[in-house]
């Protein structure tokens, strides 16, 4: 049916599963059972067809469905962010608490705007909420990066790699083949460590920048004369944070990719034995 789907939404499906429709269907079945007649079922089926042919294409119903999806996505985001927050150590939670206090101060000062400037309030609220969410994600990334750096010894990796390279030519051919792969893996691990270390510094700098800019905005909002200027500050900060988050995602994708996936390493001992035979 045309117009049923929009942006991944199936309005026909949503209309069918709407609780009021289900109540009506159950009522028709119950009435048919009580009356001992199939007439209520026939009438219910006819009404259901009329309902499903008109309601899913109704613009008001479609707006209602989109609002349901928006609320659900918001709840999922809040749940995900809450999980990230509780993964943080106490000092990082306290750091977020300080930022939240700054944001509340900005919101409170914005309430003093005249009615003609209230248009900035909704814009500011959306930006502050987005920045708070990004700040939690960045703090969590910083924590994960530090944990990785804490348990990884780059000197040991380089030492092991150098030892393998030193003895490579004196090893049997089959051992050489395996050790070449090990050397490549160790070099990738070393590169990964350097990249994560660099990225950790970027995240720390961006978190500090968020704190500094929001403190400046709070100070400016106390004697607010030009709300557009404050809105511009937020816009620039949002752009910087988005770029940093993209960098973080690129580096974190390293964690999701096996350093080297080779058939010999993926097969178990029994599989390799069968291959040789």
């Amino acid at each position: 049916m045309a117009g049923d789907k929009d942006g991944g939404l199936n309005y026909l499906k949503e209309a069918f599963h709407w609780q009021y429709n289900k109540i009506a269907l159950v009522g028709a079945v119950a009435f048919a059972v009580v009356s001992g007649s199939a007439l209520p079922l026939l009438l219910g089926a006819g009404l259901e067809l009329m309902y499903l042919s008109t309601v899913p294409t109704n613009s008001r119903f479609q707006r209602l469905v989109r609002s349901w999806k928006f609320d659900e996505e918001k709840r999922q985001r809040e749940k995900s962010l809450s999980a990230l927050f509780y993964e943080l150590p106490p000092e990082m939670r306290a750091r977020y608490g300080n930022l939240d206090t700054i944001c509340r101060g900005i919101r409170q000062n914005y309430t003093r705007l005249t009615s003609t400037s209230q248009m900035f309030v909704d814009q500011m609220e959306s930006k502050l909420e987005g920045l708070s969410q990004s700040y939690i994600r960045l703090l969590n990334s910083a924590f994960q990066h530090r944990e990785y750096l804490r348990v990884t010894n780059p000197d040991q990796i380089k030492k092991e790699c150098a030892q393998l390279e030193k003895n490579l030519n004196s090893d049997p051919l089959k051992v050489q083949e395996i050790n070449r792969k090990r050397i490549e893996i160790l070099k990738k691990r070393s590169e990964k460590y350097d990249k994560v270390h660099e990225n950790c510094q970027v995240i720390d700098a961006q978190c500090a920048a968020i704190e500094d800019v929001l403190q400046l905005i709070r100070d400016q909002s106390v004697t607010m004369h030009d709300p557009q200027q404050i809105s511009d500050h937020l816009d620039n900060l949002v752009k910087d944070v988005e770029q940093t988050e993209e960098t973080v995602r690129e580096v974190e994708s390293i964690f999701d990719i096996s350093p080297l996936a080779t058939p010999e390493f993926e097969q178990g001992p029994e599989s390799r034995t069968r291959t040789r035979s």
Side-chain angles (χ1 to χ4, degrees):
M1 186 180 297
D4 281 351
K5 293 185 178 180
D6 178 21
L9 294 176
N10 189 325
Y11 295 112
L12 178 63
K13 180 180 177 181
E14 296 295 334
F16 179 79
H17 288 290
W18 197 13
Q19 60 175 339
Y20 297 112
N21 182 55
K22 289 184 176 181
I23 291 172
L25 291 175
V26 171
V29 172
F31 190 63
V33 172
V34 172
S35 64
S37 170
L39 182 60
L41 290 178
L42 295 174
L43 290 174
L47 291 172
E48 181 71 6
L49 289 174
M50 292 174 59
Y51 166 79
L52 293 177
S53 65
T54 56
V55 171
T57 59
N58 182 277
S59 60
R60 293 180 62 185
F61 177 77
Q62 291 181 355
R63 285 196 298 271
L64 178 63
V65 171
R66 287 194 292 270
S67 72
W68 293 342
K69 294 302 179 184
F70 176 80
D71 291 341
E72 177 61 25
E73 290 172 358
K74 184 177 180 180
R75 284 193 295 271
Q76 291 298 326
R77 281 198 305 270
E78 291 174 350
K79 183 178 179 181
S80 175
L81 289 169
S82 178
L84 292 179
F85 175 78
Y86 285 109
E87 288 179 1
L88 297 175
E91 64 273 14
M92 283 188 166
R93 294 187 201 176
R95 193 174 174 184
Y96 174 77
N98 292 335
L99 187 89
D100 188 57
T101 299
I102 295 172
C103 290
R104 286 201 301 269
I106 296 172
R107 292 185 181 98
Q108 183 176 0
N109 292 332
Y110 258 78
T111 60
R112 297 184 289 100
L113 286 173
T114 62
S115 57
T116 56
S117 300
Q118 284 299 311
M119 57 177 280
F120 291 103
V121 174
D122 291 339
Q123 296 176 6
M124 178 274 301
E125 178 60 36
S126 175
K127 293 169 187 174
L128 284 180
E129 183 178 357
L131 284 169
S132 295
Q133 294 174 356
S134 295
Y135 188 75
I136 290 180
R137 289 194 294 268
L138 288 173
L139 283 180
N140 189 270
S141 293
F143 173 63
Q144 299 296 337
H145 280 52
R146 288 195 180 100
E147 284 297 292
Y148 169 81
L149 296 176
R150 182 180 65 83
V151 300
T152 305
N153 187 337
D155 294 332
Q156 181 62 35
I157 293 173
K158 292 175 181 177
K159 181 179 178 181
E160 186 176 353
C161 184
Q163 187 65 35
L164 287 172
E165 288 178 326
K166 179 181 178 181
N167 299 329
L168 188 62
N169 292 333
S170 60
D171 292 329
L173 290 178
K174 186 59 180 178
V175 175
Q176 287 185 33
E177 181 183 348
I178 295 173
N179 283 344
R180 284 193 183 94
K181 293 183 176 67
R182 290 185 61 198
I183 290 169
E184 190 172 352
I185 291 172
L186 289 169
K187 287 182 177 179
K188 286 182 178 295
R189 288 188 63 198
S190 183
E191 292 172 4
K192 173 180 172 179
Y193 181 92
D194 293 340
K195 188 63 177 176
V196 170
H197 185 270
E198 176 188 346
N199 204 50
C200 193
Q201 294 176 318
V202 171
I203 295 171
D204 287 341
Q206 186 63 76
C207 286
I210 293 174
E211 295 163 0
D212 292 342
V213 173
L214 289 180
Q215 285 174 346
L216 174 63
I217 290 173
R218 181 191 58 186
D219 296 343
Q220 291 179 331
S221 66
V222 173
T223 56
M224 193 181 317
H225 299 294
D226 186 5
Q228 180 61 57
Q229 183 181 16
I230 294 179
S231 181
D232 291 341
H233 278 313
L234 282 173
D235 285 337
N236 292 332
L237 181 58
V238 168
K239 291 177 182 177
D240 290 342
V241 171
E242 287 175 347
Q243 291 176 354
T244 299
E245 286 203 279
E246 179 60 30
T247 301
V248 171
R249 282 192 291 270
E250 290 174 358
V251 174
E252 289 180 340
S253 67
I254 299 173
F255 290 95
D256 300 328
I257 302 174
S258 175
L260 270 181
T262 62
E264 291 86 355
F265 277 32
E266 290 175 353
Q267 292 174 340
E270 294 180 1
S271 299
R272 290 196 291 271
T273 302
R274 287 196 300 269
T275 302
R276 289 196 299 268
S277 62

